[in-house]
């Protein structure tokens, strides 16, 4: 039985055979349905998903290993089979035994050290012979985790997905911390018993979007309505289909651009790894809509880095001299400015470690809650009064002045600063 397969090195016929210029295809066994194989097709910039039955998988591999892809590596319970196609189109087969457990989920990327420790403790007793005290617990089957391949049908966390399982639990812990502050502020929907409005910008495959829904509805018993927004229509359609299959009626997925989104007024805004200035547009939307809480994990802070030069600031020349240092410095400056701007707009702000660096290098979270349970109307009044006063005096507030001075010192612009300054 095939547990995983990876096709790579596309031929010139791949687009004609499969409809797109795919660079690789990754297939894994997930079980649980009449189409137990999950396939990801990758182009240069996008990924597309498809499910196969066992027969359909065999037909796909037979038709495309060689004609569409020169290389293919298949793994079963006890062996690895490699197919190599030469320039003449001849395909050879190499086979070697695997000295691994027959657990099909071992055939994947290594765990981070922290996840490996947790998994070892949870499944083998470990040094402390205990299980981690996660909010979403192992051993209790969770439908969305099973559908996404994180849990088996019995509720056991798949070894290779333990990093993802830890990330999901860390996120709901951070969300749980802000719920008291959210509950103290008037919700966007004023009706008694109205659901909490959650907006997830750049929702992607929606592991965390589904986690939020499960945590609020099933664990906390808090009614909610969740909207996920993403640019990729195929991903949006896939998530919407999963919600339908799971019988979830309070999730909606929308194909759209964060920069031009004009949808719901959210109580909580989530933005996980929204690339570069997409995070700024999401934060600006949250501020304008007076969201009660914001959880943002920025990604790819290229804007300032693209403007910095080695000679941008003589006093900090050592930080700007080397590319990797300049990249990290610009990311920290970007997030520092974002945090200051949110504070300026009436939020209590924390910059936290989202997940350990081994799990993902994109590990900083900006978490913000509206101060003092302020309602939308009062904050809008405060902000409009502040903007009017600044407009009449031609002056910036103290926080704006500090951010403006920091950016000017390096001769750079920052999108959130510009958006909030322009929009008032």
């Amino acid at each position: 039985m095939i547990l995983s397969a990876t096709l790579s090195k596309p031929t010139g016929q791949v687009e004609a055979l499969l409809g797109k210029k795919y660079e690789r295809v990754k297939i894994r066994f997930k079980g649980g349905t009449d189409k137990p194989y999950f396939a990801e097709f990758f182009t240069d910039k996008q990924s597309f998903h498809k499910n196969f039955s066992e027969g359909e998988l065999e037909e796909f591999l037979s038709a495309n290993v060689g004609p569409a892809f020169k290389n293919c590596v298949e793994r079963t319970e006890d062996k690895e089979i490699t197919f190599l196609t030469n320039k003449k189109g001849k395909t050879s087969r190499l086979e070697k035994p695997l000295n691994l457990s027959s657990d099909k989920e071992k055939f994947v990327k290594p765990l981070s050290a922290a996840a490996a420790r947790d998994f070892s403790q949870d499944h083998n007793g470990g040094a402390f012979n205990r299980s981690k005290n996660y909010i979403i617990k192992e051993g209790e089957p969770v439908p969305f985790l099973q559908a996404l391949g994180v849990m088996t049908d019995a509720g056991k966390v798949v070894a290779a997905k333990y990093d993802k399982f830890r990330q999901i639990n860390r996120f709901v812990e951070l969300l749980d911390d802000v719920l008291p502050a959210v509950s103290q502020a008037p919700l966007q929907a004023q009706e008694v018993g109205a659901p909490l409005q959650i907006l997830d910008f750049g929702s992607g495959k929606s592991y965390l979007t589904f986690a939020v829904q499960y945590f609020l509805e099933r664990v906390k018993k808090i009614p909610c309505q969740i909207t996920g927004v993403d640019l990729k229509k195929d991903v949006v359609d896939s998530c919407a289909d999963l919600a339908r299959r799971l019988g979830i009626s309070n999730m909606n997925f929308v194909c759209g651009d964060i920069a031009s989104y004009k949808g719901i007024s959210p109580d909580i805004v989530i933005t996980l790894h929204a690339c570069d200035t997409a995070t700024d547009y999401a934060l600006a939307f949250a501020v304008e809509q007076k969201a009660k809480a914001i959880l943002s994990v920025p990604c790819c802070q290229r804007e300032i880095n693209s403007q910095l030069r080695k000679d941008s600031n003589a006093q900090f020349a050592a930080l700007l001299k080397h590319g990797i240092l300049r990249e990290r410095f610009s990311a920290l400056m970007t997030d520092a400015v974002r945090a200051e701007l949110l504070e300026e707009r009436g939020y209590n702000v924390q910059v936290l470690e989202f997940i350990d660096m081994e799990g993902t290098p994109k590990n900083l979270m900006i978490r913000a809650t509206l101060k003092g349970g302020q309602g939308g109307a009062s904050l809008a009044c405060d902000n409009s009064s502040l903007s009017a006063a600044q407009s009449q005096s031609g002056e910036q507030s103290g926080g704006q002045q500090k951010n403006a001075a920091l950016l000017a010192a390096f001769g750079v612009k920052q999108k959130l600063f510009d958006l909030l300054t322009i929009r008032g």
Side-chain angles (χ1 to χ4, degrees), residues 182-197 265-267 289-290 292 373-378:
V182 173
S183 66
Q184 292 171 12
L187 301 184
Q188 296 288 5
Q190 297 297 323
E191 299 87 354
V192 175
L196 199 64
Q197 295 289 332
S265 294
D267 297 299
Q289 296 296 318
K290 317 300 182 294
K292 311 304 178 292
Q374 298 181 75
S378 63

Side-chain angles (χ1 to χ4, degrees), residues 83-95:
F83 297 89
L84 301 172
T85 304
N86 62 22
K87 294 181 180 179
K88 295 182 180 180
K90 181 180 179 181
T91 300
S92 57
R93 172 188 169 117
L94 304 174
E95 186 176 310

